[in-house]
Amino acid sequence: MTPTIAFLLALTFLISVGALLALVWSIATDQFSHGASAARTIFAAGEVGRAEDPAAGRHGLADAPRDATDEEAVTARREADLSSRVPVLTLLASAVVWLVVGSLYGLLSSLKMHMPELLADIEAVTFGRIRPMHLNAVAYGWASMAGLGAAVWLVPRLFKTPLMGAGYATAGAWVWNLGMVLGLVSIGAGLSDGEEWLEFPWQVDALFVLAGGLCAVPLLLTVRNRQVRHLYVTSWYLMGALIWFPLLFLLANLPYLFPGAAGATVNWWFAHNVLGLWVTPIGVGIAYYMIPKILGKPVISYRLSLLGFWSLALFYSQVGIHHLIGGPVPTWLVTLSIVHSVMMVIPVVTVAINHHGTMIGHFGRLRDSPTLRFVWIGSLMYTASSLQGSMEALRSVNVVTHFTHYTVGHAHLGMYAFLSFILFGAVYFIMPRITGWEWPSRRLIVLHFWLAFSGIIIYVVALSIGGWFQGLALLDGDTAFMETVRLTLPYLKARSVGGALMTASHLLFAGHFLTLLWLGGRPADRPTLFRSTIPEGRT
């Protein structure tokens, strides 16, 4: 056993032990004993059975008499929303900028896959530079900053107290932006660490560690000042993400410690854990809040939701080494990773039962709620991408899909169709509550959804089919390598069509976001719906 493998095993063991200790604490403090009543903690009295999204009627509640709601609780919640206004606006506005930047880099890199001569004489936009610039802009710029913005907004709501130390989060957002600018400029100039998800130079990485620490301060201060005894399941997911990610990011970016094959092992341990212990908890946690809140219906099995979180915490830390099947790593380590990947079916199924089961009888709401349409589709894609990932870890499947475009399609099914859709929905939900304005145009929201949805479906289907054929061709010793390249060209062109649709949706989304900030929209007591459901005369 090499020192690197021993280090990773010890670290993942400590993460699991930490999760186990937290589980013991949650049991000792009766976090599991509340059952159905705990699922109602996100609702004020009188809100169950009533929709909150989009803003409709008084305080965004459209379906019941005004005197049925606990006005004091609703007022406290609105104060909690306003307490996070500055850092949330900073984080979300920054995220939208990086989404546009990352999308343009992504579209250009996609075009270069079947048009290699495109801008080939300009060093700064060669494929080897713009592809990692795309990855880092959307992963650390868009997804991470939007996820942090949603988390900062949710924390005071979940703990039913104003956000404490909001200035730390605002400062963290600006330091994070500084890191993004320096990191992307470094990659564009050819200064990269050369490992996927870890391309930024380690000197720049220090800024992200500092920024993450600043953003975590309000969480700790607000938890200490919380007005609730029970921690709703979304709280667990967000706290887990905000604790796990800084640890993973810091250790994976320590310079000069993991050369050669050891570096590859650490690289893929981090690259997959950043998905499972950072991206996944944020997306799933947001969905566990948004879906019940929009429907006015608690999740169907609250204990199952907690089981899903703890099984994620206990199983995910070893996932990732299956990317090195056939590489210079011990076979038993790869097998351990495969077993953990298959075990991930447990948290995925628990989330699927709760999210999709809660929707039963309410699918009609997809016609009128922008947030629900994005968030539920994102949750559906989480189920699909996670089950696909467990299957892809199996050696019999991996031997075909490894080193092919199939893996790229799978990655976008998770990072985009799952996470980004949930983040889009969260932005549509959050912005009216911190600006006092509803979105100016329901048609633009509809167009954004269908452009993004059509784009990602074309993208994933094309790369999944083309990647599978590519893998079979690579396994055929009688097929020349250039034939496998030519085989993929139609699918790569379809990928660019899908990428162009997604980029167009992002430009539309960014323009709509800017319009809301600059010109405002309807007053927040008026709805932005796909289909109006408010009786005439109701304000």
Side-chain angles (χ1 to χ4, degrees):
M1 181 184 297
T2 67
T4 299
I5 294 174
F7 168 78
L8 291 182
L9 290 177
L11 183 58
T12 51
F13 174 75
L14 290 175
I15 292 174
S16 297
V17 168
L20 183 60
L21 291 175
L23 174 60
V24 171
W25 176 86
S26 68
I27 294 173
T29 56
D30 295 327
Q31 297 294 317
F32 278 86
S33 64
H34 296 276
S37 63
R40 295 171 175 261
T41 58
I42 60 174
F43 299 97
E47 286 186 345
V48 173
R50 303 170 61 188
E52 192 189 340
D53 175 69
R58 194 178 183 188
H59 308 313
L61 303 168
D63 303 324
R66 296 178 181 177
D67 58 2
T69 306
D70 183 345
E71 292 289 338
E72 184 178 348
V74 172
T75 300
R77 186 170 63 208
R78 298 183 80 182
E79 291 175 355
D81 289 348
L82 294 176
S83 71
S84 62
R85 184 176 186 272
V86 174
V88 171
L89 277 176
T90 305
L91 286 162
L92 293 184
S94 301
V96 171
V97 171
W98 293 120
L99 173 65
V100 172
V101 171
S103 300
L104 295 175
Y105 279 126
L107 180 59
L108 181 57
S109 63
S110 179
L111 292 172
K112 282 176 170 285
M113 294 293 290
H114 54 89
M115 300 169 60
E117 72 285 355
L118 180 65
L119 302 177
D121 297 331
I122 305 175
E123 291 183 358
V125 291
T126 54
F127 183 83
R129 297 189 186 182
I130 60 171
R131 195 273 172 181
M133 292 173 77
H134 159 68
L135 171 63
N136 285 273
V138 296
Y140 298 119
W142 155 245
S144 294
M145 296 197 79
L148 282 170
V152 170
W153 180 79
L154 280 168
V155 162
R157 275 201 167 206
L158 293 168
F159 299 143
K160 299 187 177 180
T161 184
L163 185 71
M164 308 294 292
Y168 291 102
T170 305
W174 288 113
V175 174
W176 196 289
N177 277 315
L178 176 61
M180 287 298 306
V181 172
L182 294 178
L184 293 179
V185 169
S186 297
I187 295 174
L191 302 174
S192 167
D193 285 350
E195 296 178 307
E196 192 164 8
W197 290 88
L198 297 170
E199 287 94 350
F200 287 159
W202 66 266
Q203 295 90 341
V204 175
D205 294 330
L207 292 174
F208 290 97
V209 174
L210 173 60
L214 289 170
C215 290
V217 171
L219 170 67
L220 299 176
L221 295 177
T222 307
V223 169
R224 188 180 62 182
N225 198 48
R226 70 184 185 276
Q227 302 301 309
V228 294
R229 181 171 180 270
H230 176 80
L231 301 181
Y232 183 70
V233 63
T234 297
S235 305
W236 288 106
Y237 276 106
L238 296 182
M239 288 191 297
L242 293 171
I243 291 171
W244 289 324
F245 177 70
L247 177 65
L248 296 170
F249 189 82
L250 176 63
L251 293 174
N253 282 288
L254 290 174
Y256 314 124
L257 291 184
F258 308 112
T265 305
V266 173
N267 183 190
W268 280 109
W269 169 81
F270 169 80
H272 231 289
N273 276 291
V274 77
L275 295 175
L277 298 180
W278 172 239
V279 166
T280 296
I282 287 178
V284 172
I286 292 172
Y288 260 120
Y289 184 88
M290 295 292 176
I291 292 176
K293 199 70 172 158
I294 296 165
L295 298 179
K297 175 185 177 182
V299 293
I300 61 174
S301 176
Y302 189 73
R303 288 190 175 92
L304 200 59
S305 71
L306 294 176
L307 175 64
F309 170 76
W310 292 113
S311 55
L312 172 75
L314 293 172
F315 294 143
Y316 205 98
S317 58
Q318 289 288 357
V319 174
I321 308 302
H322 66 266
H323 282 274
L324 298 177
I325 291 176
V329 295
T331 301
W332 65 264
L333 183 63
V334 174
T335 301
L336 178 64
S337 178
I338 294 172
V339 171
H340 277 251
S341 296
V342 174
M343 293 295 286
M344 279 300 298
V345 170
I346 295 174
V348 171
V349 170
T350 64
V351 171
I353 290 172
N354 261 326
H355 288 180
H356 311 319
T358 304
M359 285 288 298
I360 293 176
H362 298 275
F363 285 102
R365 287 301 315 279
L366 294 173
R367 293 195 302 269
D368 59 72
S369 170
T371 294
L372 187 62
R373 183 177 287 194
F374 277 103
V375 172
W376 182 73
I377 289 294
S379 179
L380 188 65
M381 294 301 106
Y382 169 68
T383 305
S385 64
S386 298
L387 294 178
Q388 183 191 39
S390 295
M391 178 189 70
E392 198 175 342
L394 301 175
R395 286 185 172 90
S396 57
V397 177
N398 190 274
V399 70
V400 178
T401 62
H402 204 39
F403 298 126
T404 70
H405 297 296
Y406 185 97
T407 304
V408 179
H410 166 66
H412 283 75
L413 189 64
M415 275 295 293
Y416 190 85
F418 157 48
L419 179 66
S420 289
F421 266 58
I422 288 179
L423 292 176
F424 288 140
V427 172
Y428 281 125
F429 190 93
I430 292 169
M431 286 299 292
R433 287 155 179 79
I434 60 175
T435 62
W437 294 99
E438 260 298 344
W439 293 86
S441 171
R442 70 186 67 173
R443 292 181 179 179
L444 290 182
I445 300 175
V446 177
L447 185 57
H448 173 205
F449 174 83
W450 285 111
L451 284 173
F453 184 72
S454 302
I456 191 59
I457 293 299
I458 294 171
Y459 192 104
V460 172
V461 170
L463 291 189
S464 296
I465 297 173
W468 189 266
F469 288 151
Q470 179 190 16
L472 294 176
L474 287 171
L475 292 174
D476 183 0
D478 296 328
T479 302
F481 178 74
M482 286 307 298
E483 282 301 313
T484 68
V485 174
R486 279 189 281 270
L487 171 70
T488 64
L489 287 178
Y491 304 100
L492 294 176
K493 292 175 182 178
R495 163 186 168 157
S496 292
V497 171
L501 290 173
M502 288 186 282
T503 300
S505 79
H506 302 160
L507 293 172
L508 183 73
F509 173 60
H512 202 188
F513 186 95
L514 181 61
T515 301
L516 175 65
L517 290 180
W518 190 258
L519 299 177
R522 297 182 198 53
D525 62 351
R526 302 278 183 174
T528 296
L529 298 171
F530 292 131
R531 175 178 60 86
S532 179
T533 58
I534 301 176
E536 291 184 9
R538 180 82 52 87
T539 59

